[in-house]
Amino acid sequence: MLGITRWHVFKVVAAMLCIAGLTWLGMEYLIPALPSQITIATSPKDEHYHVLGTRYQGIIAGSEVEVELRETEGAKENLRLLNDGLLPES
Protein backbone atom coordinates (compact mmCIF):
# COMPACT_ATOMS: atom_id res chain seq x y z
CA MET A 1 0.00 0.00 0.00
CA LEU A 2 2.19 2.92 1.19
CA GLY A 3 5.26 0.80 1.77
CA ILE A 4 4.92 1.06 5.56
CA THR A 5 5.85 -2.16 7.28
CA ARG A 6 5.76 -3.26 10.89
CA TRP A 7 9.49 -2.59 11.07
CA HIS A 8 8.93 1.07 10.13
CA VAL A 9 6.22 1.43 12.77
CA PHE A 10 8.47 -0.24 15.35
CA LYS A 11 11.34 2.17 14.59
CA VAL A 12 9.07 5.23 14.86
CA VAL A 13 7.56 4.04 18.17
CA ALA A 14 11.03 3.20 19.55
CA ALA A 15 12.31 6.66 18.57
CA MET A 16 9.32 8.33 20.24
CA LEU A 17 9.86 6.31 23.44
CA CYS A 18 13.55 7.25 23.48
CA ILE A 19 12.74 10.93 23.05
CA ALA A 20 10.10 10.75 25.81
CA GLY A 21 12.52 8.94 28.12
CA LEU A 22 15.32 11.44 27.53
CA THR A 23 12.91 14.32 28.07
CA TRP A 24 11.75 12.78 31.35
CA LEU A 25 15.34 12.26 32.53
CA GLY A 26 16.20 15.84 31.63
CA MET A 27 13.21 17.19 33.52
CA GLU A 28 13.91 14.96 36.53
CA TYR A 29 17.57 15.86 36.96
CA LEU A 30 17.97 19.35 35.52
CA ILE A 31 14.94 21.07 37.02
CA PRO A 32 15.23 21.24 40.82
CA ALA A 33 12.39 20.11 43.04
CA LEU A 34 10.48 22.57 45.17
CA PRO A 35 11.75 22.98 48.74
CA SER A 36 10.00 21.03 51.48
CA GLN A 37 10.73 23.70 54.09
CA ILE A 38 11.10 27.48 53.95
CA THR A 39 12.07 29.99 56.63
CA ILE A 40 10.53 33.45 56.82
CA ALA A 41 12.23 36.13 58.89
CA THR A 42 9.62 38.27 60.63
CA SER A 43 9.51 41.13 63.08
CA PRO A 44 8.88 40.61 66.80
CA LYS A 45 5.56 39.04 67.76
CA ASP A 46 2.33 41.03 67.19
CA GLU A 47 4.00 43.45 64.77
CA HIS A 48 3.06 43.88 61.12
CA TYR A 49 5.61 41.56 59.49
CA HIS A 50 4.96 38.80 62.02
CA VAL A 51 1.26 38.99 61.19
CA LEU A 52 2.10 38.79 57.46
CA GLY A 53 4.37 35.80 58.14
CA THR A 54 1.62 33.93 59.97
CA ARG A 55 -0.76 34.77 57.12
CA TYR A 56 1.70 33.31 54.57
CA GLN A 57 2.15 30.30 56.84
CA GLY A 58 -1.60 29.72 56.74
CA ILE A 59 -1.73 30.11 52.95
CA ILE A 60 1.13 27.68 52.40
CA ALA A 61 -0.23 25.19 54.98
CA GLY A 62 -2.44 23.62 52.30
CA SER A 63 0.61 22.43 50.38
CA GLU A 64 3.25 19.99 51.57
CA VAL A 65 5.71 22.76 52.49
CA GLU A 66 6.65 23.39 56.12
CA VAL A 67 7.02 27.08 57.02
CA GLU A 68 9.23 28.19 59.91
CA LEU A 69 8.80 31.74 61.21
CA ARG A 70 11.95 33.25 62.70
CA GLU A 71 11.44 36.37 64.77
CA THR A 72 14.14 38.99 64.27
CA GLU A 73 14.79 42.52 65.45
CA GLY A 74 14.47 44.02 61.99
CA ALA A 75 16.12 44.49 58.61
CA LYS A 76 19.68 44.74 59.94
CA GLU A 77 19.41 41.39 61.69
CA ASN A 78 17.76 39.83 58.63
CA LEU A 79 20.68 40.99 56.47
CA ARG A 80 23.20 39.69 59.02
CA LEU A 81 21.47 36.29 59.11
CA LEU A 82 21.49 36.05 55.32
CA ASN A 83 25.17 37.05 55.11
CA ASP A 84 26.17 34.59 57.84
CA GLY A 85 24.19 31.80 56.17
CA LEU A 86 22.02 31.31 59.25
CA LEU A 87 18.83 32.09 57.39
CA PRO A 88 18.45 29.87 54.30
CA GLU A 89 17.65 31.73 51.11
CA SER A 90 14.45 30.36 49.56
Side-chain angles (χ1 to χ4, degrees):
M1 191 150 121
L2 295 175
I4 299 175
T5 64
R6 289 183 182 176
W7 181 245
H8 290 111
V9 173
F10 174 76
K11 288 194 300 187
V12 169
V13 170
M16 290 171 54
L17 288 174
C18 286
I19 290 171
L22 289 173
T23 302
W24 176 79
L25 283 173
M27 299 282 284
E28 184 73 23
Y29 292 107
L30 297 177
I31 298 176
L34 296 174
S36 60
Q37 178 186 12
I38 60 173
T39 304
I40 299 176
T42 64
S43 59
K45 203 167 194 148
D46 296 330
E47 289 190 16
H48 180 68
Y49 289 115
H50 185 76
V51 172
L52 285 177
T54 55
R55 189 179 297 172
Y56 278 122
Q57 190 176 33
I59 291 171
I60 298 173
S63 63
E64 296 178 5
V65 178
E66 180 183 333
V67 179
E68 175 190 347
L69 297 180
R70 183 172 295 181
E71 294 180 20
T72 63
E73 294 299 321
K76 288 183 182 179
E77 186 178 358
N78 293 347
L79 185 59
R80 183 187 58 78
L81 289 171
L82 285 172
N83 287 335
D84 292 345
L86 299 176
L87 189 64
E89 294 184 52
S90 319

